[in-house]
Amino acid sequence: MLTIRNFIFFLIVLVVMVFLTGCTEDESDFADQKNQQPEKEKENVTTSSDQRRVLATNLQEPWEIEVVDDRIYISERTGHIVTVKEGKVQRKRVEFAADLSQQSEAGLLGLAFPEDFSSTQTAFAYYSYEKSGAYFQRVVKIEEKESNWIETERMIDEIPGGEYHQGGRLEIGPDNRLYITTGDATNPELAQSKNSLAGKILRMELNGTVPEDNPFGNSYVYSYGHRNPQGLAWDVEGQLYATEHGSDAHDEINHIKAGNNYGWPIIQGDEAQDGMEQPIVHSNEQTWAPSGMANLHGNFYFASLRGEALRQFNPMTGSEVEVISDIGRIRDVFADQHGLYVITNNTDGRGSPSQEDDKLIYITIPENQLHQ
């Protein structure tokens, strides 16, 4: 029989259960909000649309951005260089000494412009070609003419090429030397051989000779054990950093030092072995597919292809965040004092191009984010 005491006890238990159930649901909602908060923070980092300017559209498989005075130069894998100035876009074909390779990730890739370009009209280019059934890359000088560019001098030749992993980044460092990234040409063992130009970061004088302070005698090899490095940038102290495509995720940012071995194909990610360098940050099980990189006031910004984002890395804190994530694949980034030039890469057969892709976009970075 239900007594008054039992009835009162039953009511108390029922009220407590209802109260606890309500608290559990609220805490669960709060926990979900906390779990989502990092994504909110990433959205806050993303610049709003009114801080972006589209400077050029309908680019064809663009690869590298260079800015000289008031002109922006963009290489296209199809063998053209696009010039953007004051809203006007001009495309010129490059006349190379060999036909461009049609291998995946190949074509006209890196560009670099020396300080005397305005007077000489001569720049550096990295391109892929086929010879007797084999694939190679070379670094050459090219000269701008009224209606085209022409190859004028060969600097380094027969860099191994393959089905994938062509490398391709060119940058002139603060030491006024030319740095060149090369992929392992889909032959990983070449990355560990100091006698091969594949899977390396190379360094040369602008006249084509080997710098006397290179780490290996009479060799362009500056660092080795790389899989497919595609981005180079220096910090304010002149230290070199590089982005690198990993195998099955584990994409990397490496601090590059002369003569060091960066491990591929023996180690990657958190793996370690004596005499081999670990990355300062990597993507774990995610995939960035990182490409071009630039330093803006202490932060590194790097392009992400498969990750479809512009990402920011702070070398002081080791933090890495997504900055832009709504324009598809991004191939390269170039910094000036106030923001970033980026090129999308949705027309290379691996993206989903919109009607005006690919684009050159300028992104103003707000002052309160420049030093984060």
Side-chain angles (χ1 to χ4, degrees), residues 109-122:
L109 303 178
L111 293 177
F113 287 73
E115 291 183 355
D116 63 356
F117 172 75
S118 296
S119 59
T120 65
Q121 301 299 295
T122 298

Side-chain angles (χ1 to χ4, degrees), residues 12 44 61 66 72 83 87 98 138 146 168 199 209 231 240 246 267 286 322 332 334 350 357:
I12 292 172
N44 290 339
E61 301 179 41
E66 287 288 329
I72 306 163
T83 304
R138 60 172 54 144
E146 185 174 347
T209 60
L240 175 59
I267 63 170
Q286 296 181 338
E322 191 177 86
D332 194 22
F334 184 98
R350 296 178 177 178
D357 273 337

Side-chain angles (χ1 to χ4, degrees), residues 38 78 145 176 185 195 263 279 327 333-334 341 350:
T78 56
K145 300 295 185 179
N176 205 36
N195 294 321
I327 56 176
V333 53
F334 184 98
Y341 298 89
R350 296 178 177 178

